[in-house]
Amino acid sequence: MGLGSVFVSEAVGTAVLLLLGTGVVANVLLVKSKGFDGGWLLISFGWGLGVMAGVYLAFKTGAHLNPAVTLGILTSGADDYAPGIPVTFGATATYLAAQLTGAFAGACLTYLAYKKHFDAEPDAAKKLAVFATGPEIRDYRWNLLTEIIATFVLVLVVLSFGNTPSGLGPLAVALLVVGIGASLGGPTGYAINPARDLGPRLAHAVLPVGRSARTPVAAGAHPQADPGPARPAGTSDWSYAWVPVLGPALGGILAGVAAQFLF
């Protein structure tokens, strides 16, 4: 498979993942939405099912949909990212670029789908929370550790699927994401995917989402989240953005190293 086809496959799969994932957050958080105040489990299941849809769409490229997964495979010593796609610098760069592009596009589609609800929502923190994760208690070191642990679990279990005969495929990944959200999503909103946070955060920064005169920063996807200290109007909370990028990347790399000894 050519790198162009790899890019399209991963970008489309990641876009659908982010459309459904950020879409469920919008459904739960934004005023007048039919799913308003649906709770954390609805969000977790929405993300899990979004992953399942994306995996089906990007099956030809192994459906990484996540730079942490790509880095985990890279550091696991694998020869191929997927059948017919050898591990090379060019392939690695293509996967990462496609995932970020798809994540940005998926978030933009969510904005279009919920445009009138974004316009009607007075709380800028909730608008940001549709696009980007944020901590319930802001402590960068502990927030980073949470993201490392959650992503380590995700990538290690995903890598183990190749050695098990269950055949559950996308459903197994979906349930894994739901489980991580239910168990480890409380502190930071479980980005567990650098593209998942960075792409939509970029979309939030450039889209005319609409912001109030002065609002607190977003505190993740939880409907009852404490939004934390106030920030200037229009913020995309870039001071926190490095945590959901670096944490999942490190978690994926550590999982890949661990997989060499476990599988």
Side-chain angles (χ1 to χ4, degrees), residues 6-7 39 75 93 123 127 138 177 180 190 204:
V6 172
F7 184 93
T75 56
D123 188 343
K127 296 176 184 180
R138 187 171 293 249
V177 171
I180 292 173
Y190 81 122
H204 177 271

Side-chain angles (χ1 to χ4, degrees), residues 1-234:
M1 177 181 289
L3 293 183
S5 296
V6 172
F7 184 93
V8 171
S9 176
E10 283 289 313
V12 170
T14 308
V16 170
L17 160 60
L18 266 294
L19 170 60
L20 298 182
T22 56
V24 72
V25 180
N27 194 19
V28 170
L29 292 187
L30 298 182
V31 67
K32 297 184 179 180
S33 174
K34 290 185 180 295
F36 180 71
D37 207 21
W40 184 251
L41 284 181
L42 177 58
I43 289 174
S44 295
F45 272 98
W47 276 106
L49 295 175
V51 168
M52 184 172 70
V55 169
Y56 272 114
L57 286 172
F59 75 96
K60 289 184 178 180
T61 51
H64 298 189
L65 313 181
N66 182 344
V69 173
T70 302
L71 294 174
I73 296 173
L74 176 66
T75 56
S76 73
D79 296 322
D80 300 302
Y81 281 130
I85 307 175
V87 174
T88 64
F89 176 82
T92 303
T94 300
Y95 271 95
L96 300 182
Q99 291 153 4
L100 181 60
T101 301
F104 179 87
C108 290
L109 291 173
T110 293
Y111 170 74
L112 293 176
Y114 281 89
K115 171 66 166 63
K116 301 304 292 184
H117 295 272
F118 279 110
D119 291 344
E121 175 58 61
D123 188 343
K126 288 185 177 181
K127 296 176 184 180
L128 174 57
V130 171
F131 294 91
T133 62
E136 291 295 290
I137 300 174
R138 187 171 293 249
D139 186 314
Y140 293 127
R141 294 170 298 176
W142 289 103
N143 302 151
L144 181 68
L145 181 60
T146 297
E147 287 291 340
I148 291 173
I149 292 171
T151 311
F152 178 86
V153 172
L154 170 71
V155 176
L156 187 64
V157 176
V158 166
L159 292 176
S160 76
F161 288 162
N163 300 292
T164 59
S166 66
L168 291 175
L171 178 59
V173 181
L175 293 175
L176 173 62
V177 171
V178 172
I180 292 173
S183 300
L184 298 172
T188 62
Y190 81 122
I192 61 174
N193 181 339
R196 172 265 173 274
D197 192 278
L198 182 57
R201 198 182 295 269
L202 287 168
H204 177 271
V206 301
L207 288 170
V209 177
R211 300 159 174 93
S212 59
R214 182 167 176 82
T215 63
V217 297
H222 197 294
Q224 285 78 41
D226 176 5
R231 297 284 182 177

